[in-house]
Amino acid sequence: MPGGGLVVLGLDERSGFAATGVERPSVLMEGLAAMARQALDPPVTFEAEQTFFEGSTLVVARVDELPSSSEPCRVRASGKAYLRAHDGDDELSQLEIQALLAARETPTTDANPVPGTSASDLDADLLATCLRSRRAGSQLLTAMDDGDVLQRTGVAAGEKGELSLAGLLAMGVYPQQQLPMAVIRASIAPRRGDGSGTRAADARSFDGPLPVMLEEAAAWVSRATMTALVTGEDGPVRDTPEIPPEAVRELVANALIHRDYGPWALTQATTLTVSGDRISLTNPGGLWGISVDRLGRSGVTSARNGRLLTIYQHLRSSDDR
């Protein structure tokens, strides 16, 4: 699981998790260490300590997340891998195992050609912006014609001049013709006063190339969340969004660029939910190459779709951002 997990020994689940404590905690920690090394493949690492709670001694073990290059972790005795879900352990499906195995190597799905596509499927404005930016930063590309630039920079792939998955997603006129689930499904969670059968309000589906989806989704969040009138120290009253637009753009952009576009994930959409004063984004595949505890640290970066990210960095929004 992202971030690893916590094992607590010395609570009685049948008594509402009352603290009953453990005997010989040092022996228990030795047993945990033996299990982590010998019962699991690959072995996992953890940090364990004794702690006092409600007058009893507990053993608390914080299990580290495995690197993606080592997943899935299997129980040696059965050869099976499990997912912790609520209060149970669910065996991983073959689809989930395949996704984990694919994540052991740097993904190249975004470089794959999309059959039946060509440069004519690219949005003219996005294409012009990308070519201008590419040539401005490279003397070598300046001397090439448009077709060569598209091939060399990964927008096109293969000998037939078909678009790569990254090129189609970033600059296609309508990528959903070939990739129908490469969309954002957005909705507002049921609010007080909504009928008992209400599952969601203002449900939307955003499509088009990624820059268009980003702009439309960010604008929708702005409309779906509160705006306060705040008087500044210098006097003027300003509209202050409940959630900063810059944060929304960053979250949506990351969800689109770093989602899994592998065959096993293309049946799922990116989801965006507004609930009260918060927004939640879920993208197929989750994090790749980075663990939850490393997020936000300076110098830590990871890209599942390196080609898509590189193309995206040469595009501009309608307000030239």
Side-chain angles (χ1 to χ4, degrees):
M1 295 293 287
L6 200 66
V7 176
V8 182
L9 304 178
L11 300 178
D12 185 358
E13 183 176 354
R14 292 168 297 183
S15 302
F17 295 97
T20 56
V22 297
E23 298 179 1
R24 299 188 299 171
S26 60
V27 175
L28 275 179
M29 287 191 285
E30 291 176 5
L32 284 174
M35 178 175 287
R37 296 296 303 174
Q38 300 170 16
L40 303 175
D41 183 27
V44 298
T45 59
F46 67 92
E47 293 183 3
E49 63 178 353
Q50 301 179 43
T51 185
F52 293 97
F53 177 68
E54 295 182 350
S56 300
T57 300
L58 307 183
V59 169
V60 179
R62 185 173 300 278
V63 184
D64 299 322
E65 178 183 353
L66 275 176
S68 56
S69 59
S70 299
E71 294 176 341
C73 179
R74 303 176 189 270
V75 178
R76 288 184 185 272
S78 64
K80 296 180 179 181
Y82 296 88
L83 179 71
R84 184 71 176 174
H86 300 291
D87 201 29
D89 301 311
D90 297 329
E91 186 178 349
L92 288 184
S93 68
Q94 287 302 313
L95 193 63
E96 291 169 319
I97 291 174
Q98 179 60 40
L100 291 174
L101 292 174
R104 289 186 173 186
E105 300 177 356
T106 302
T108 58
T109 303
D110 61 334
N112 293 340
V114 181
T117 60
S118 67
S120 63
D121 292 303
L122 295 174
D123 179 275
D125 292 336
L126 291 173
L127 174 60
T129 299
C130 184
L131 290 173
R132 184 166 56 250
S133 177
R134 284 289 194 178
R135 288 178 170 136
S138 171
Q139 292 184 344
L140 293 175
L141 295 179
T142 301
M144 299 180 188
D145 61 31
D146 290 355
D148 282 342
V149 173
L150 295 180
Q151 193 78 32
R152 299 288 183 181
T153 58
V155 177
E159 298 178 355
K160 298 180 181 179
E162 296 169 321
L163 298 180
S164 67
L165 184 68
L168 180 64
L169 287 167
M171 297 192 293
V173 173
Y174 192 69
Q176 289 71 29
Q177 179 179 351
Q178 292 82 12
L179 308 168
M181 293 303 289
V183 297
I184 300 176
R185 295 280 172 82
S187 63
I188 300 175
R191 298 158 295 189
R192 183 179 301 176
D194 288 338
S196 59
T198 302
R199 297 177 60 185
D202 196 22
R204 300 290 183 91
S205 181
F206 300 109
D207 54 13
L210 299 193
V212 172
M213 283 199 286
L214 171 60
E215 288 197 55
E216 292 184 351
W220 178 82
V221 171
S222 179
R223 295 192 299 270
T225 52
M226 301 289 289
T227 299
L229 294 176
V230 178
T231 302
E233 295 181 359
D234 53 349
V237 177
R238 297 182 175 88
D239 290 332
T240 303
E242 189 173 32
I243 303 176
E246 294 82 1
V248 175
R249 287 181 62 87
E250 182 74 8
L251 288 168
V252 176
N254 278 329
L256 293 172
I257 294 172
H258 299 300
R259 66 156 282 177
D260 191 341
Y261 288 104
W264 46 83
L266 281 175
T267 59
Q268 304 174 51
T270 298
T271 62
L272 168 60
T273 304
V274 174
S275 178
D277 61 351
R278 64 183 293 169
I279 66 172
S280 300
L281 276 151
T282 302
N283 61 342
L287 295 174
W288 183 86
I290 186 172
S291 56
V292 172
D293 61 326
R294 298 181 66 208
L295 287 173
R297 295 186 182 182
S298 177
V300 175
T301 181
S302 179
R304 172 186 271 115
N305 304 301
R307 189 157 304 201
L308 175 61
L309 177 62
T310 302
I311 296 172
Y312 207 78
Q313 290 171 339
H314 290 273
L315 301 179
R316 297 291 180 270
S317 60
S318 58
D319 55 0
D320 202 37
R321 285 196 285 182

